Amino acid sequence: MQIKTAFSDGTSEQLKIIDATLDEPKANEVLIKMVATGVCHTDTAGRDGLTTPLPVSLGHEGAGIVEQVGSSVMDLQPGDHVVLSFAYCGRCQHCLTGHPGMCEHFNELNFAGHNFDGSHRIHTLDGQPISTFFGQSSFSTHAVVDQHNVIKVDPTVDLRLLGPLGCGIQNGAGTILNYLQPKFGESLVIFGTGAVGLSAIMAAKLTGVERIIAVDIFDQRLSLAKELGATDVVNSKVVDAEAAIREILPNGADYTLDTTGVSPVVLNALHVLKPGGECAVVGMGRELTLNLQNDLMAEGKKSSGVIEGDAIPQLFIPKLVSFYKQGRFPFDKLIKFYDFDQINDGFAASKDGSVLKPVVTF
């Protein structure tokens, strides 16, 4: 079938919306009519050729309606409302023990540009293959995805809102609820209050954590962090973040979460931990120099990278939708909608920080 898709060949920061062809789904695959897709920083990396072979059709926080299912797909049917998340094999040790974000084939299935069988579903009109992104390429009017990417969701909820649950919001909330699992009365410091950090704050509020400290350089984001559940906020552009946090938590924090990927900020997150505390890192970053003795070993601290919130999307995303319906996880406050032909405006708003979570609608 012919579709329209947001395409990058690496020659410009402006995505091009082009006509392309999309193959029929195979036995393990599903054809989705896209309704909306969130814009994420990882899409920018893909656009710039940092993750996936170019040319590539982007988008990895999709939401849509099932139109067709392959012969081996058992739990989905046409008309189902679905969210699309990351691809995983479902067969390796990590997948089988409930950690698909650590799938042995994660990088291949999400970033190598091809489908599970090594072939392509998206082609230019003259037949040249276009790389798939995260197994979905959901900045498209339709997408063909493996059944592992697909999560059935409550049809009574506005489907346009739900795409970001597939990556950014799942990442922040899942790192708290699935990985760190802070206990009643403990403390948590979250560095960076974009969509991922604010999702973590909303999740932390669900746990009964006593202190939730949000750190950022933008007052408007810190104000929203306070509204969503932060007990304290620190503007690290105005004050020394470590000193301010130590005033609130003289013994240090039980947990910290870095969403920025900025090396000095990651060090801040390590330094403010109490002995035995743990720092979870989810931001895409570069090199980091630390003193193993002083920053980690001497006080038994831990630092861990967490992928996609250590979530099983088929179980976790419906829970987030349920909390949203209860009014306990109001992630809709992060979202602003853009028409498909305004997709580059959405990317620009994400880059300058004026919009926390742009969502492209079809």
Side-chain angles (χ1 to χ4, degrees):
M1 66 185 300
Q2 187 164 316
I3 64 170
K4 290 189 179 296
T5 188
F7 167 95
S8 173
D9 58 9
T11 60
S12 171
E13 288 192 355
Q14 298 292 301
L15 295 178
K16 304 172 187 175
I17 297 177
I18 66 167
D19 293 316
T21 60
L22 181 69
D23 293 351
E24 292 291 306
K26 296 192 176 182
N28 59 310
E29 295 175 339
V30 184
L31 173 67
I32 311 292
K33 181 181 180 181
M34 300 311 305
V35 170
T37 302
V39 175
C40 176
H41 176 66
T42 311
D43 290 303
T44 303
R47 178 198 67 191
D48 298 340
L50 301 178
T51 61
T52 304
L54 298 171
V56 61
S57 290
L58 295 168
H60 69 288
E61 292 183 344
I65 299 172
V66 175
E67 285 199 345
Q68 184 180 341
V69 299
S71 58
S72 66
V73 178
M74 305 299 293
D75 55 352
L76 295 166
Q77 59 185 5
D80 284 344
H81 286 206
V82 295
V83 166
L84 306 183
S85 192
F86 60 92
Y88 59 93
C89 75
R91 298 184 295 273
C92 71
Q93 177 182 351
H94 292 303
C95 287
L96 292 174
T97 54
H99 305 283
M102 293 187 283
C103 173
E104 293 176 7
H105 303 283
F106 185 94
N107 287 320
E108 172 192 353
L109 295 175
N110 290 281
F111 296 120
H114 55 68
N115 285 56
F116 269 58
D117 62 0
S119 62
H120 294 78
R121 300 291 172 272
I122 310 173
H123 298 83
T124 61
L125 295 182
D126 62 1
Q128 298 302 309
I130 299 173
S131 287
T132 301
F133 197 60
F134 268 74
Q136 55 178 280
S137 291
S138 53
F139 286 139
S140 305
T141 50
H142 285 78
V144 166
V145 299
D146 184 87
Q147 59 188 325
H148 289 110
N149 287 69
V150 186
I151 301 94
K152 187 176 177 179
V153 293
D154 187 336
T156 67
V157 179
D158 185 350
L159 190 53
R160 297 176 307 154
L161 293 170
L162 301 186
L165 297 176
C167 185
I169 291 174
Q170 172 175 255
N171 199 6
T175 299
I176 302 301
L177 298 173
N178 301 322
Y179 182 76
L180 291 177
Q181 298 183 12
K183 300 177 182 63
F184 178 83
E186 291 188 320
S187 56
L188 170 72
V189 184
I190 295 169
F191 290 83
T193 56
V196 175
L198 291 170
S199 300
I201 288 169
M202 289 186 281
K205 186 179 179 182
L206 297 172
T207 69
V209 169
E210 182 176 5
R211 303 303 284 262
I212 305 170
I213 303 174
V215 183
D216 207 305
I217 60 173
F218 297 108
D219 285 330
Q220 67 270 26
R221 290 190 177 189
L222 292 172
S223 177
L224 182 56
K226 194 88 169 178
E227 178 183 340
L228 294 176
T231 59
D232 307 89
V233 296
V234 173
N235 187 324
S236 57
K237 191 174 183 179
V238 177
V239 300
D240 181 282
E242 292 185 23
I245 293 165
R246 286 289 182 178
E247 285 187 13
I248 301 167
L249 299 171
N251 296 322
D254 292 289
Y255 305 99
T256 58
L257 170 61
D258 174 71
T259 72
T260 71
V262 177
S263 297
V265 179
V266 176
L267 286 177
N268 291 156
L270 286 170
H271 292 165
V272 300
L273 287 170
K274 65 171 53 173
E278 181 166 8
C279 170
V281 178
V282 301
M284 294 177 64
R286 295 286 186 258
E287 291 80 9
L288 172 66
T289 300
L290 54 79
N291 185 301
L292 288 174
Q293 171 70 13
N294 296 334
D295 295 332
L296 281 179
M297 193 277 289
E299 294 187 330
K301 296 177 180 179
K302 297 177 285 292
S303 180
S304 303
V306 183
I307 302 169
E308 293 290 353
D310 199 25
I312 302 172
Q314 284 74 11
L315 300 179
F316 189 62
I317 288 174
K319 291 179 182 177
L320 294 181
V321 174
S322 178
F323 281 123
Y324 169 72
K325 289 183 67 177
Q326 297 169 32
R328 300 171 66 194
F329 193 77
F331 68 91
D332 57 325
K333 294 184 178 183
L334 313 182
I335 289 173
K336 180 178 178 180
F337 294 116
Y338 292 81
D339 292 336
F340 189 25
D341 60 6
Q342 299 174 310
I343 188 169
N344 288 304
D345 295 335
F347 271 76
S350 177
K351 181 178 181 179
D352 67 24
S354 58
V355 177
L356 290 163
K357 177 55 67 173
V359 171
V360 173
T361 61
F362 301 91

